[in-house]
Amino acid sequence: AREAKEKLKVCTDMVLKEGAAMRVSDLKTVKKVMPGEEAAKEEEESDKLSMQKMMARITECTKGNDLALIASRVAAEKAKKKVEAKDKIAAMEKVFAKYDNNKDGFLDKKDVLKYAQGEFKFRLPDEAADAIIRVLVEEKTKGVKKGDFQKLRVAVGIERERALDIKRKEERIEREQKLAVMKEELQKKIDAATKEVEACLERIGKVEAEAQPLPGKARTMSA
């Protein structure tokens, strides 16, 4: 399709560049027609494409080629997604087989706990594992089947995020408590410093008050 598009472009460029000469050539050919050759020449000319028909044909071919390119891109994208999906499924099946300890095609509670620890570095609480098993394991089956492995992955991820949320909340509360203690200690220091400043100002005021009569006494003593 790309090669065809390039050839169509070359053809279009040639027609646009040589169009005038081609029209002159057609006119010269018509002038050479002799009286006895009109019917044959008309038949011959009817088999030739005029400039307008030629451009219309090129435009039509270009549109068809563009549609073919679009279709090929869509097909290629679909094929790519299909291959990626197969690779993803194969990777998931490999992980499933890794934790299917007894190779019976099911993941029991122990397998689920090992999966959470091995793949997410997360110690799944027993009550959370029991809840997952109750939801995903069908009656009369040994555990989570391969077809529900993606659901198991999502469920473990949710529990992991929940545990992280709890941890983040605890850390936030701890930080707030530390900040509150630091704020209280800082306020105590500020209060103590304020008291010292007030005491100093009070002493300075007393000294200034006591010093005010001294000039009068000095004048009396000098007289």
Side-chain angles (χ1 to χ4, degrees):
R2 293 182 182 275
E3 184 180 355
K5 187 173 183 179
E6 292 174 358
K7 290 182 178 180
L8 284 169
K9 186 177 184 302
V10 172
C11 184
T12 302
D13 293 342
M14 184 193 71
V15 171
L16 292 174
K17 183 178 179 181
E18 305 293 340
M22 294 170 70
R23 291 191 188 93
V24 172
S25 177
D26 289 344
L27 290 173
K28 288 180 179 179
T29 303
V30 173
K31 288 180 180 179
K32 291 180 181 180
V33 175
M34 301 304 291
E37 300 176 350
E38 286 84 353
K41 191 60 181 179
E42 288 177 0
E43 182 178 355
E44 180 180 353
E45 291 296 329
S46 64
D47 293 336
K48 294 182 180 180
L49 290 174
S50 65
M51 181 65 65
Q52 184 177 1
K53 289 182 179 180
M54 187 183 299
M55 290 302 297
R57 178 67 63 84
I58 292 173
T59 301
E60 182 181 352
C61 291
T62 301
K63 289 181 179 179
N65 187 71
D66 289 342
L67 290 174
L69 279 173
I70 293 172
S72 65
R73 289 194 191 104
V74 172
E77 188 64 25
K78 287 183 178 179
K80 181 182 177 182
K81 289 182 178 179
K82 189 174 181 179
V83 170
E84 290 175 351
K86 286 184 178 180
D87 292 342
K88 187 176 180 180
I89 291 173
M92 290 178 62
E93 289 179 348
K94 184 177 179 180
V95 176
F96 184 93
K98 178 181 177 181
Y99 294 99
D100 183 10
N101 188 46
N102 53 10
K103 307 302 177 185
D104 61 351
F106 296 93
L107 299 182
D108 56 24
K109 181 179 176 180
K110 291 182 179 179
D111 297 333
V112 170
L113 293 172
K114 289 180 180 179
Y115 164 71
Q117 182 65 42
E119 298 300 314
F120 296 96
K121 307 300 180 186
F122 170 55
R123 186 182 179 282
L124 185 66
D126 285 343
E127 59 273 15
D130 292 335
I132 291 173
I133 293 295
R134 283 196 301 271
V135 173
L136 296 183
V137 176
E138 299 176 357
E139 293 184 4
K140 299 179 181 180
T141 57
K142 300 178 181 179
V144 180
K145 61 184 181 181
K146 189 182 297 183
D148 291 332
F149 186 58
Q150 176 62 20
K151 294 179 181 179
L152 173 63
R153 185 173 181 273
V154 172
V156 172
I158 291 172
E159 291 298 330
R160 180 173 176 268
E161 285 301 316
R162 184 177 296 165
L164 289 173
D165 286 340
I166 293 173
K167 183 178 180 181
R168 284 191 287 264
K169 184 178 180 181
E170 291 174 348
E171 291 175 349
R172 177 176 58 79
I173 293 173
E174 184 179 357
R175 286 196 304 270
E176 290 175 352
Q177 290 174 345
K178 287 181 179 179
L179 287 172
V181 172
M182 291 173 63
K183 184 178 179 181
E184 184 178 357
E185 291 177 353
L186 180 60
Q187 188 62 48
K188 289 179 180 179
K189 291 179 181 180
I190 292 172
D191 293 341
T194 301
K195 289 180 180 180
E196 289 181 5
V197 170
E198 290 175 350
C200 288
L201 292 174
E202 185 178 355
R203 287 194 296 270
I204 291 171
K206 289 180 179 179
V207 171
E208 289 177 347
E210 292 175 355
Q212 285 178 358
L214 291 177
K217 290 181 179 180
R219 286 195 296 270
T220 302
M221 291 176 66
S222 60

